[in-house]
Amino acid sequence: MLRLLKIDFKKFVNYRTFWVLMTLYSVLVVSIPTTVMEFLKWLKVKGANFNEFDPLRVPVLYFPDIWQNITYVYAFLKIVLAIVVIISVSNEFSYKTVRQNIIDGMSRIEFVGSKLSTILMLSLYSTLLVFLTGLITGLIYTPNYDFTDIFTGIEFVFAYFLDVLLYLLFAFLLTVLIKRSGLTIALLVIYLPLEYILTANLPNSIDFIGAYFPMHAMNNLIEVPFPKYIFQEIQDYVSMKSVLVALFYIVLFPLAIYKKLKQSDL
Amino acid sequence: MDSVLSIKDLTKKYGRITAVNNLSLEIKKGTVFGLLGPNGSGKTTTLGIILDVINRTSGEYQWFGEAPSKEHRKRIGAILETPIFYPYLSATDNLKIVAEIKQVPTDNIDHVLRQVDLYERKDDKFKTYSLGMKQRLSIGSALLCNPTVMILDEPTNGLDPQGIAEIRKLIIEIAKDGKTIILASHLLDEVQKVCSHFAVLKKGKMIYTGLVEDVSKGEETIEVFAEDENLEQLLNDYEGIKNINFDHNKWIVSLHDGHNSITLNAYLIANKITVSHLVTQKKSLEKQFLEVLAASDE
């Protein structure tokens, strides 16, 4: 596995697009909380009048709320990582290097494995970055907190990992099916609303299956947290069912990718 | 001799088209095997199947007498059609990937780059290379694992005459090391110069297989020309004459057994004709190839 990761990494080492996208992604993740907090401070300093309401008292980025809030928001940024995956895989098809890799002595399963190990690394990197950003932001800004508050809701970080992993695997599968990067990115973007439109129009008798569609499975991991700030009820935990459905797809997608590649003439 | 590659009843169908049709082939260790055939005759498809990038419809093949696996491919240096590398990486970085896949040490990279005369350009990106350099890099890449078997598919495709000569020289050098080489080409001259065995494919079927040296053992033809208007008459009167044709300012003559250029020349001198052109032509692979193809049409 390590060898396969090494092979795939060598393809990236001197690939400018990869580093540009990864830098962009990392800077975005790290800078968002600071920007938000500084913006709130600025609002307060400017004396914006919210009916005697202090914007800094909204605990958006305070322990323990922070975990669900930032994982929910950061899940939108995973499109950048998906583009990295799509480019990495579609390049292999457009340059025909997948063919040469096999000729040189890779098996198809090893080829899939090398891309999967990169996807796993990207998901872990993203999760670690989000965890550290959340931790540092919380430690800096949370006014008073108990030690136990810090790790309350940490399961959202784990859910975030599954969320990103599932999405990147989905991007991998689409690329193997479509092979062209531009088309794949476009389809990845429009697939999500399409799936929601489709499930919204299911007949009542079977509309429970909507939750089992892949993008639903992914989005159900971390529910929208913000309505609670206007006193509405939210799901402030990660449901076991959503984790199981997500895991199902996390196993299914690589199998489908392998089956497709095995049947293909490269 | 040990069998390097044995193919049995191999068939590949693309829908209604049969690209490879019941092909059987045996290649022994140390041979330089030329795979000939017109475009679309199934050469590349066959090589693609034995390298596991194309799925076969039916049939079997074995490497070194064993069921094929990725471990065999790691010991084979192969290029199929065009040179394939990551365009944004340098030659060295590309070969590092190949070395990692083949699980061979990277120490060999500089050596093979020198061998194919690319050492000076090793840090330049692949996309900046000329076609000849790309072809040479792919041969270098195939040499990286110090292979016992090399598969070269049209290695001189698209090269200028100098490039073709360089690659041919390289192949002959490699063949001298005792490596088994499978060379697919439609440049027959090239196959005749480097190969020991050859097979001819047509529409996915093998229509001929044999030794290259046997090709030239066949009948001889003689080209003759002299500045003398009686030449045609004299040639026709010669007792050993079998066939005579005029082609490109010279007479192409084939003779019966027991006659050759020496006896013909003596005859002409005796009749007071001195020739300005007298060449004995052994049968070329090209001629043999065209004959085989023509015969298969009948």
Side-chain angles (χ1 to χ4, degrees), chain A residues 234-254:
Chain A
I234 59 147
Q235 182 186 313
D236 59 356
Y237 57 92
V238 180
S239 85
M240 206 48 192
K241 184 184 142 191
S242 63
V243 170
L244 289 176
V245 179
L247 284 174
F248 168 75
Y249 282 108
I250 286 170
V251 174
L252 180 75
F253 288 159

Side-chain angles (χ1 to χ4, degrees), chain B residues 156-181:
Chain B
T156 54
N157 226 358
L159 294 186
D160 55 19
Q162 192 197 349
I164 293 176
E166 280 172 17
I167 300 274
R168 183 184 296 148
K169 199 174 132 225
L170 200 59
I171 294 173
I172 293 172
E173 274 171 22
I174 296 164
K176 273 187 201 150
D177 291 347
K179 294 191 198 308
T180 310
I181 300 178

Side-chain angles (χ1 to χ4, degrees), chain A residues 29-242:
Chain A
V29 169
V30 174
S31 63
I32 284 177
T34 326
T35 314
V36 169
M37 287 310 295
E38 294 309 313
F39 177 70
L40 291 178
K41 276 186 190 166
W42 178 79
L43 277 182
K44 191 182 176 184
V45 172
K46 283 286 167 184
N49 192 343
F50 295 99
N51 299 325
E52 308 295 311
F53 178 77
D54 178 358
L56 284 176
R57 285 178 60 194
V58 185
V60 184
L61 291 173
Y62 300 160
F63 293 129
D65 285 23
I66 186 169
W67 295 122
Q68 186 172 5
N69 292 346
I70 65 164
T71 53
Y72 178 80
V73 170
Y74 283 147
F76 288 96
L77 294 182
K78 62 183 179 272
I79 183 79
V80 180
L81 299 176
I83 291 172
V84 170
V85 170
I86 290 169
I87 290 174
S88 147
V89 177
S90 67
N91 273 351
E92 303 277 2
F93 289 107
S94 55
Y95 301 145
K96 288 189 165 189
T97 39
V98 53
R99 178 186 172 113
Q100 191 64 42
N101 286 170
I102 305 285
I103 290 174
D104 286 336
M106 255 187 165
S107 63
R108 280 167 168 77
I109 205 158
E110 282 182 330
F111 179 80
V112 175
S114 82
K115 293 293 170 197
L116 287 182
S117 51
T118 298
I119 286 176
L120 193 64
M121 283 301 128
L122 287 174
S123 309
L124 283 174
Y125 168 74
S126 168
T127 308
L128 187 69
L129 196 65
V130 166
F131 170 71
L132 290 176
T133 308
L135 189 67
I136 292 166
T137 311
L139 289 175
I140 293 174
Y141 294 109
T142 312
N144 307 296
Y145 56 87
D146 287 335
F147 185 73
T148 50
D149 287 343
I150 298 178
F151 296 106
T152 307
I154 199 77
E155 71 265 25
F156 282 104
V157 176
F158 172 68
Y160 174 83
F161 170 72
L162 295 182
D163 181 319
V164 173
L165 183 61
L166 196 160
Y167 193 64
L168 298 188
L169 290 173
F170 185 61
F172 184 12
L173 175 65
L174 280 186
T175 321
V176 168
L177 295 175
I178 300 169
K179 298 194 169 71
R180 306 255 300 276
S181 58
L183 208 57
T184 312
I185 293 170
L187 199 79
L188 183 71
V189 171
I190 61 167
Y191 176 78
L192 193 134
L194 273 183
E195 188 184 292
Y196 275 84
I197 292 167
L198 177 75
T199 51
N201 290 301
L202 285 172
N204 281 340
S205 54
I206 56 158
D207 76 349
F208 70 93
I209 65 164
Y212 297 97
F213 278 67
M215 294 296 105
H216 282 68
M218 181 181 81
N219 286 341
N220 289 344
L221 286 165
I222 305 168
E223 296 279 353
V224 199
F226 302 114
K228 73 176 167 195
Y229 299 114
I230 49 171
F231 310 109
Q232 290 185 358
E233 213 167 297
I234 59 147
Q235 182 186 313
D236 59 356
Y237 57 92
V238 180
S239 85
M240 206 48 192
K241 184 184 142 191
S242 63

Side-chain angles (χ1 to χ4, degrees), chain A residues 14 92 102 106 108 265-266, chain B residues 52-53 55 73 86 93:
Chain A
N14 287 317
E92 303 277 2
I102 305 285
M106 255 187 165
R108 280 167 168 77
D265 291 335
L266 300 170
Chain B
D52 199 31
V53 290
N55 292 307
R73 270 177 281 131
Y86 295 91
D93 285 342

Side-chain angles (χ1 to χ4, degrees), chain B residues 131-171:
Chain B
L131 184 56
M133 295 166 75
K134 288 177 177 175
Q135 292 277 22
R136 291 211 303 272
L137 182 61
S138 65
I139 292 183
S141 167
L143 284 168
L144 191 62
C145 64
N146 194 16
T148 45
V149 182
M150 287 188 83
I151 296 179
L152 304 171
D153 183 14
E154 306 288 1
T156 54
N157 226 358
L159 294 186
D160 55 19
Q162 192 197 349
I164 293 176
E166 280 172 17
I167 300 274
R168 183 184 296 148
K169 199 174 132 225
L170 200 59
I171 294 173

